[in-house]
Amino acid sequence: MDILKRNYFWWNKWTGYSLLILLLVATPLFTIFIKLFDSPGGSWTHIANNLLLGYFQNTILLLLGVAIMTFLLGVSTAWLVSNYEFPGRKYFEWLLILPLGFPGYIMAYTYVGLLDYTGPIQVFFRNTFDVQVKGSLIDIMNLPGAIFILSITLFPYVFLITRSSFLQQSNTLQEASFLLGANRLKTFFKVALPMARPAIVAGIALASMEVLNDYGTVKYFGVNTFTTGIFRAWFSMGDSSTAIYLAAILMVFVFVILYLESLQRGNRQYSSVNGIQKPTARFHPTLGKKIFYTGICTLIFLLSFLFPFLQLLQWVSLTYTKVVNQDFFLLIFRSFGLAAMSGIFIVMLSIVLLYALRLSPFKWVKNITKIATLGYAIPGAVIAVGVMIPFIALDKWVYGTLFTSQVAGLFFSGTLFALIFAYIVRFMAVGYNPVEAGFQKIGIHVNEASRLLGVRSTRTLWKIDLPLIKTSLVSGILLVFVDVLKELPLTLILRPFNYQTLATKAFDMATNEMIAESANAAVIIILTGIIPIIFLNRLIKKREL
């Protein structure tokens, strides 16, 4: 009985910890909700009359365009590499994931450089065929150009999830379709595509939320969206109330996407009801089709990764002697240190949430973890606004209490503390999911055995659970590390004065027409982002086997 009482006390303590984490993580969203009851700022009338309709139109067109293009690119390539044998197929399984490591804003200014008058394409045609073109070869600094750039960087979300779904589908259903007289094209539309619909919609939803979060691409291309509107209201107009109203509207877009994704999924089952899973047998098409399929995948890979990456490497070779110096290495150290600290903190908090879920007798603790990991669906600009406002108020209170002055100091806002806190809110789900997978793998039996032996929960966690899930912990830190390294809008708003990261440095240099110099920071971001892609491909390969 004493053991049960002691464990029940610890269950409540872990639950208390999880409630505290929820309170902190949900603070930005509560702030925006409460501030909506305040009157709008002075610039709201101007924005509502002159800019708001444009924000709506551009945001919706951007979402629809990226959704269509990511669907076409992601589903077609996933179907080819999952169901057909052709030259290079096993390489395209991971090559087509590489664009995920390419932030959209870096892809944007790289393509502008590729198509520019002094870019390699025009230089080649001028020197080889004496073809003269005034200005850029193709003007992509517009809404269609933004759709193209975001689509080729985000289609791997659809490719990854859809390919995993295709690999898990039983070949028995396809064989039944063939026996009923359907060809491969009809089988794809009537059998494989409907069964993969949840995966496809989930991938498009992820891509859509990244579109809403994007600031660098649309800002560089001059496309007005709600994200650029938040920056304009906050920095150019100095109107936090208007920024909050725009952030709230942007949140509506997010919740609509999440609701539609949940609605289409419902309680439907898209699996074999008899439990028979016969692995998919890849089809060997004719030589002409093999060449065609290889050509499609090659073209997509060239456009979405190889061409822009080679352009970056060329710029690095021309500018590294001017850019790579002591300050540049300090920039790398700061960026890596900030990303590593954020990853460690997020994984630590994820452990607390999961241990509370594991040991607490209260079913509502599961809802706490769901809400605490909601931040990944929220655009970075929205989270930044929700973090900045309470931190400024806290600064005023602390400064007034300690120094009895009306002038506010920067104790919390404008510091690394605020930035890391915002990263925790934004990327909690990124670190939480690998840790959750690790806990599910080891089960709860070790905890039950440990409690029967009278060992406290904390000691069980430290001595048994954590050593067993150390691989999951490293994976969680690594995934957060990469996402923090690429994050731009949140960092631009909350970074301390004159504090640069690799992402902000690359964006600032590009916007100041120092595109070639910015490639040095961009290449480090991309190469670092490729690391988790290798793990993702290995995970899918294990499912395939």
Side-chain angles (χ1 to χ4, degrees):
M1 181 63 68
D2 292 337
I3 294 176
L4 292 177
K5 287 182 178 179
R6 185 160 61 248
N7 283 321
Y8 186 75
F9 167 76
W10 277 102
W11 284 355
N12 280 273
K13 189 171 184 178
W14 286 104
T15 304
Y17 291 155
S18 65
L19 284 171
L20 179 60
I21 294 173
L22 173 64
L23 180 63
L24 292 174
V25 173
T27 297
L29 300 183
F30 286 137
T31 300
I32 292 176
F33 177 75
I34 292 173
K35 284 292 184 178
L36 283 176
F37 293 96
D38 295 342
S39 58
S43 59
W44 172 252
T45 302
H46 166 71
I47 290 179
N49 293 335
N50 301 286
L51 300 173
L52 193 60
L53 181 60
Y55 292 163
F56 267 110
Q57 291 177 341
N58 290 336
T59 301
I60 292 175
L61 289 175
L62 200 62
L63 285 171
L64 290 176
V66 172
I68 293 171
M69 282 199 66
T70 53
F71 170 80
L72 295 175
L73 295 174
V75 175
S76 60
T77 51
W79 177 252
L80 290 178
V81 299
S82 301
N83 290 272
Y84 292 92
E85 281 290 352
F86 54 91
R89 183 201 60 80
K90 63 179 181 179
Y91 299 107
F92 288 119
E93 287 179 348
W94 60 273
L95 288 175
L96 291 174
I97 311 175
L98 294 183
L100 275 182
F102 228 116
Y105 56 93
I106 294 177
M107 184 73 77
Y109 66 72
T110 304
Y111 255 94
V112 171
L114 276 169
L115 299 172
D116 196 44
Y117 181 80
T118 58
I121 299 177
Q122 289 210 46
V123 169
F124 172 77
F125 279 104
R126 278 199 305 270
N127 295 340
T128 307
F129 304 104
D130 195 26
V131 176
Q132 300 290 334
V133 179
K134 293 183 179 180
S136 178
L137 184 64
I138 301 175
D139 182 17
I140 64 169
M141 299 190 70
N142 45 43
L143 181 59
I147 292 173
F148 169 75
I149 293 296
L150 291 174
S151 297
I152 62 175
T153 56
L154 297 176
F155 85 88
Y157 280 118
V158 181
F159 171 79
L160 269 171
I161 302 176
T162 307
R163 178 187 159 213
S164 179
S165 175
F166 285 150
L167 291 174
Q168 294 178 37
Q169 291 181 12
S170 174
N171 194 48
T172 305
L173 295 175
Q174 294 189 26
E175 290 178 347
S177 177
F178 297 148
L179 289 174
L180 292 173
N183 56 25
R184 287 197 168 268
L185 186 62
K186 190 173 183 178
T187 299
F188 168 73
F189 283 107
K190 295 295 185 179
V191 178
L193 195 62
M195 290 186 65
R197 194 176 81 178
I200 295 170
V201 175
I204 293 176
L206 282 173
S208 299
M209 286 185 284
E210 289 295 329
V211 170
L212 294 177
N213 180 61
D214 178 77
Y215 171 73
T217 305
V218 292
K219 170 64 176 177
Y220 190 66
F221 282 5
V223 178
N224 289 325
T225 64
F226 279 99
T227 306
T228 61
I230 292 172
F231 273 80
R232 180 181 288 120
W234 187 278
F235 290 106
S236 300
M237 301 178 178
D239 192 342
S240 60
S241 298
T242 298
I244 289 174
Y245 272 67
L246 294 174
I249 297 174
L250 190 56
M251 281 295 302
V252 172
F253 277 93
V254 173
F255 288 130
V256 167
I257 291 172
L258 294 175
Y259 173 75
L260 291 176
E261 192 275 335
S262 175
L263 183 66
Q264 70 84 33
R265 181 163 26 94
N267 295 320
R268 302 178 183 90
Q269 288 187 345
Y270 296 82
S271 59
S272 178
V273 295
N274 58 11
I276 300 175
Q277 291 293 327
K278 185 178 179 181
T280 300
R282 293 191 183 92
F283 177 69
H284 290 263
T286 61
L287 179 60
K289 289 184 177 180
K290 286 183 178 181
I291 296 174
F292 178 67
Y293 296 157
T294 302
I296 291 176
C297 294
T298 301
L299 179 62
I300 294 175
F301 171 66
L302 291 176
L303 293 176
S304 63
F305 186 83
L306 189 59
F307 283 162
F309 188 67
L310 290 177
Q311 175 66 83
L312 289 175
L313 291 180
Q314 183 197 19
W315 285 336
V316 169
S317 67
L318 297 175
T319 61
Y320 75 95
T321 54
K322 296 186 295 183
V323 177
V324 180
N325 50 31
Q326 185 177 355
D327 292 337
F328 186 76
F329 284 111
L330 179 61
L331 176 69
I332 295 175
F333 176 77
R334 285 179 176 178
S335 301
F336 279 24
L338 185 64
M341 281 192 296
S342 302
I344 292 171
F345 284 135
I346 287 174
V347 166
M348 290 172 59
L349 295 177
S350 299
I351 292 171
V352 174
L353 288 173
L354 284 162
Y355 222 60
L357 181 62
R358 172 176 285 236
L359 299 181
S360 176
F362 307 113
K363 294 182 178 180
W364 47 264
V365 175
K366 187 175 182 179
N367 296 326
I368 291 178
T369 61
K370 289 182 178 180
I371 298 174
T373 57
L374 185 63
Y376 194 64
I378 312 301
V382 176
I383 292 177
V385 171
V387 169
M388 182 66 79
I389 290 175
F391 274 43
I392 291 176
L394 187 60
D395 278 341
K396 291 180 179 180
W397 179 82
V398 171
Y399 202 90
T401 302
L402 295 179
F403 301 99
T404 63
S405 172
Q406 297 298 319
V407 181
L410 299 180
F411 287 95
F412 298 100
S413 60
T415 65
L416 289 180
F417 176 80
L419 189 56
I420 292 176
F421 177 77
Y423 286 146
I424 292 173
V425 176
R426 174 89 168 92
F427 298 115
M428 177 67 76
V430 178
Y432 178 91
N433 290 332
V435 179
E436 181 185 32
F439 273 116
Q440 289 178 349
K441 186 175 181 180
I442 64 174
I444 199 173
H445 302 296
V446 290
N447 297 95
E448 295 174 343
S450 179
R451 289 201 298 273
L452 288 174
L453 293 173
V455 180
R456 290 180 178 270
S457 300
T458 305
R459 185 173 177 82
T460 300
L461 172 66
W462 186 256
K463 293 293 184 179
I464 298 177
D465 289 320
L466 294 185
L468 290 175
I469 64 169
K470 58 183 178 182
T471 302
S472 299
L473 300 179
V474 173
S475 299
I477 294 174
L478 181 61
L479 290 172
V480 174
F481 181 93
V482 172
D483 274 346
V484 169
L485 206 62
K486 296 190 299 181
E487 175 62 30
L488 181 64
L490 187 152
T491 310
L492 283 174
I493 294 177
L494 294 177
R495 61 177 172 166
F497 176 74
N498 206 27
Y499 187 93
Q500 294 278 16
T501 66
L502 288 169
T504 60
K505 186 69 173 180
F507 179 73
D508 287 346
M509 295 179 80
T511 53
N512 290 322
E513 300 303 325
M514 300 174 65
I515 297 179
E517 289 80 359
S518 69
N520 296 271
V523 166
I524 295 176
I525 295 174
I526 294 168
L527 292 178
T528 307
I530 289 175
I531 296 175
I533 291 173
I534 299 173
F535 289 98
L536 283 172
N537 186 63
R538 288 183 177 180
L539 179 62
I540 295 177
K541 288 294 291 182
K542 288 181 180 179
R543 291 184 178 182
E544 184 177 358
L545 296 174

